[in-house]
Amino acid sequence: MSWEALATEIRGCTACPELVAERDRVVVGELPAGARLVLVGEAPGAQEDLEGRPFVGRAGQLLDRLLAEAGLDRADVGVLNTLKCRPPANRAPKTPELARCRPWLERQLACSGDALLVALGGTAVGWFFGRGAKIGALRGSVATVDGRRVLPTYHPSAALRFGPNGAPMAALREDLALAASLL
Ligand code: URA
């Protein structure tokens, strides 16, 4: 199935009544043709819900900056989320929501060929490695999960929360540079 046909299906999803009631837009994500790097975040926030694009708020602006520092152009990078709809008031995704949304991301990743995947933050890392997986222990190297290459790292929101001199910022910067070096 083509990316566009899949995106149309995802936009029509009504599996999570609470999210459907609150959302303005389904944020399908972006997969530029031939992308060799695909980032996976958690879920859309307010700005993403408004614009219908992933990572366009504060965390997204930081991400764009760190990608550029690593020599990567956001326009060439896939950006997906574990949930396609904004959880109300930006609460964490619930386990049943993640389970209902899982097949969409699975199918999106099937469109990504053998791209290097970067899991941003606890929810995405848990999606690949199982709940309870520890970013601090896993980050900094690429693992193979179900035949896919996955690099776990911190979420840009964590980097913002701990500030420019915090450990998550340094780790995220380092891990994106590692990802770029592997392409
Ligand atoms: N945080 C995420 O995890 N995804 C987005 O798209 C925006 C913020």
Side-chain angles (χ1 to χ4, degrees):
M1 173 180 269
S2 75
W3 172 262
E4 256 324 306
L6 177 56
T8 302
E9 264 197 60
I10 295 173
R11 283 188 201 101
C13 184
T14 55
C16 301
E18 189 191 357
L19 304 189
V20 171
E22 298 281 328
R23 75 185 180 204
D24 284 315
R25 289 192 175 71
V26 177
V27 181
V28 168
E30 296 171 343
L31 187 65
R36 289 183 302 145
L37 180 67
V38 174
L39 311 179
V40 180
E42 181 180 279
Q47 196 61 31
E48 289 77 20
D49 179 67
L50 204 64
E51 295 188 34
R53 293 190 59 212
F55 280 105
V56 289
R58 273 188 76 221
Q61 285 158 21
L62 172 63
L63 192 58
D64 290 357
R65 214 164 57 238
L66 294 179
L67 286 171
E69 268 183 36
L72 297 165
D73 187 341
R74 159 83 185 249
D76 300 327
V77 173
V79 187
L80 306 174
N81 279 308
T82 60
L83 282 194
K84 313 306 181 202
C85 299
R86 180 191 183 208
N90 297 340
R91 65 160 168 74
K94 295 180 179 171
T95 302
E97 292 166 350
L98 288 167
R100 287 191 288 265
C101 214
R102 188 172 187 96
W104 294 134
L105 181 53
E106 291 280 8
R107 290 172 65 186
Q108 290 181 312
L109 294 177
C111 294
S112 311
D114 62 354
L116 174 62
L117 310 177
V118 175
L120 297 170
T123 300
V125 171
W127 194 95
F128 286 102
F129 292 85
R131 272 181 77 189
K134 293 273 177 292
I135 300 174
L138 293 170
R139 66 149 290 267
S141 60
V142 176
T144 302
V145 184
D146 296 332
R148 303 173 180 126
R149 291 176 307 143
V150 186
L151 174 61
T153 192
Y154 289 98
H155 195 284
S157 299
L160 287 171
R161 198 160 55 246
F162 284 84
N165 300 316
M169 184 74 83
L172 179 57
R173 180 177 274 123
E174 199 178 288
D175 292 340
L176 291 175
L178 171 63
S181 77
L182 295 173
L183 301 181

